[in-house]
Amino acid sequence: MRILTRYILREVLSHGLLGGVLFTFVLFMKELGPLLELAVRNSTSTSTVTEIFLLMLPNMCTVTIPMAVLVGTLLGLSRLAADSEITAMRASGVGVWRFVGIVGVVAAVAWGIGLVNTLYLAPKASAQMLKLEDELKNTQATYEIQPRVFYEDLKNVVLYVEDVRAGTGAARWRQVFLADLTDPVSPKVTTAEEATVASTDNQTLVMRLRNGMQHQTASDQPDQYNVSTFAQTDLPLEATSAPEPHLGHSDAPVLAMSNHELIERTQQQGGRWYQIELQRRYAYPSACLVLILVGVPLGISSKRGGKGAGFVLTIVLVFVYYFLSSTGVALARQNKLPVFAGVWMANLLFGISGIFFLRQMSTGGAALAAVTSVGSWFRWKKSSPSAGTVAPSERTVSKRHVRGSFPLILDEYVIRQFLSVLALVLTAFVMLMLVFTFFELLGDIIRNQTPFIIVGEYLFNLMPSMIYITTPLSVLIAVLVVFGGLNRTNELTAMKATGVSLYRIIVPILVIASVLSLSLFLFDEVYLPAANRKQEALHNVIKGRPAQTYLRPDRKWMFGLQQPGKPGRIFYYEFFDSDNDRFANITVFEFDPTTFSLSRRIFAAGAHWDPQIHRWIFEHGWERSFQGDSVTDFKTFEVDTFPEIIELPQYFKKETRPSQEMSFNELQQYIRDLRQSGLDTMRLRVQLNRKLAYPLITLVMSVLAIPFALSMGKRGSLAGIGIAIGMAIAYMFVDGMFEAMGNVNMLPAFLAAWSPDVLFGLAGSYLLLRTPT
């Protein structure tokens, strides 16, 4: 009996650990990109990045530990049931409650670990995370200034730099334009040929400007103007309050409180929220104990569906449990349910259901059979080359089955297995991500009383982007599982014995991966942008936000059209009516492109576009021309036009659109327009290259997975999935790091997007070439 107990425990533990890692990985996917960019922007050390990652784990484990217990119970027992081992055990006298007792050991250990995590580790991790956020906020001034971009994150100052050169401890800038907006109507302008910049403290930069000029006027005295030159001057710049990095949960201050603090706060005004948090710290770990009451009878009874049934039931039960839990907590916060009833509602209902199902197993009730039959709909029927391909080969004998042609019967067999596993894995990832997304939004859904038809439409439109994101990882797992299975059952050896090379065997996988890569690119071109726009609009509805507009008439600084041999222009305005094409308090700075010194300055209280003469009509303003530090001409006007200003109204109506809501050509044109206006395009250029690079990673992952699959020997598919998750984490870290470095201008956009493909492609090709064929 001890051998049997260890055998069941090993099966449950192996599936549970793998499920816990998988769930944690899915939760961490969305956090990795912002974390790496924050680390790169603030020059954070590797140890700090590792610390942030470890501090995120306890709050994630609060959710994933009960889920791991459930998936271990369901998949472990489903596997035993599918191989008729459960039947043999029960025939030898092992009762249902014996299984509950054995799995209860795992649940009790998980419950203890969960309690330690929620009561001690998670609050301390949240407190440390808040501390790190404060430290990172104080280093925002060390951000890289990007060239040819208007930088507005400095207090009362707008900065434009034509060229940036990094240095040790300081940076060198060339052709600097600085506008002091203490008086927004008449900004004080400083230009310089070059500057040396260093960070003194947390929020201050010091610029040493050389060979420059300062222009200053008063808004109420336009006839007075002061121009001064300098060979060298120091100018401190103070950063504005930086936005919080948001590394932690939105309720981080509450999560960071100790149990003693929560107990004290429950006695004060508004103590209901603290009481809910205190109860949650006990309720979530206790879910480990009640979930096995449901998992054991369902796992034992899912013989027909096997692991497929166990997986489907896991997703359904996870969704139901956290839906009930989130709903109960939301109702408790709104004072519609007592705190205990709201927080513990999911545990109580699952405990009652588990006892009911256990009783059904003893009495042979129909309810349990009806639930477990759901999983059999998703059963994956594994084909064999002898049974599944005989009929087609008898029906059709054609030249395509001659050696060297494609596809052979063997190719069809490999393709069929690969596509079956790929569909199952891709469905698994999409369903998991949809479930977690629903949990995150449930509080907003209840608070804003969002109709579930809108929620369903949002999740439906969110699904395409999830498919796009998870397809490369799904291909990686599918290749590992399929080739690992062929190697384990000696089918690969049989293929090689007939004279078929390994390189010929993998051709169908590479062909399908190439087709998927091209399909992902076309999917992103044709369908995904529209779906992303729709889901973003629905997301705003769920969040209770007003309808979002992408038009940005509030942009106050824009670079004019650049013409060879002609002066450059910078436009500054306080307001732009995009409907009527009218400016208020507009200033045009015209400068020499070689020295970057101002050659002319135009100010007008208003300006509007005249479609009859196709020119801007400036009203109530003045014009000054400069030669060095002297004013060569000055005049005022009531109405005037300047034919050399050729920018049309559409030029000032730039749209702010996320890259995922544009096709490749649309994004390329959008970047061209924004760069012409002196706006930040580095992120967009990285994303433009990623639109080509990311689909190709599907092919790279298939090449990388094959040698790993063959090196697993006789180990099962769980080992393949474990290796796949490890490789996926490595890829996501490398990809996120390169993308973050590109976003902050530490790498060219092309290298930032394509480096992960090149690195992992070279590694996969090297390992594949070293694999015996």
Side-chain angles (χ1 to χ4, degrees), residues 14 19 36 44 76 91 114 264 292 335 381 384 415 474 490 527 533 545 578 631 639 653 676 721 723 725 739:
S14 61
L36 291 177
T44 307
E264 289 182 346
I292 66 163
N335 206 19
K381 297 180 179 180
S384 64
I415 290 173
S474 301
N490 295 320
Y527 181 75
R533 285 194 292 270
R545 298 170 183 162
S578 58
V631 179
V639 177
K653 300 176 183 180
Q676 180 65 49
I721 296 176
I723 292 173
I725 292 175
E739 182 181 357

Side-chain angles (χ1 to χ4, degrees), residues 212-230:
M213 302 176 63
Q214 284 188 344
H215 296 250
Q216 188 171 7
T217 186
S219 57
D220 56 346
Q221 296 177 326
D223 56 329
Q224 294 185 7
Y225 200 96
N226 183 30
V227 182
S228 60
T229 60
F230 57 84

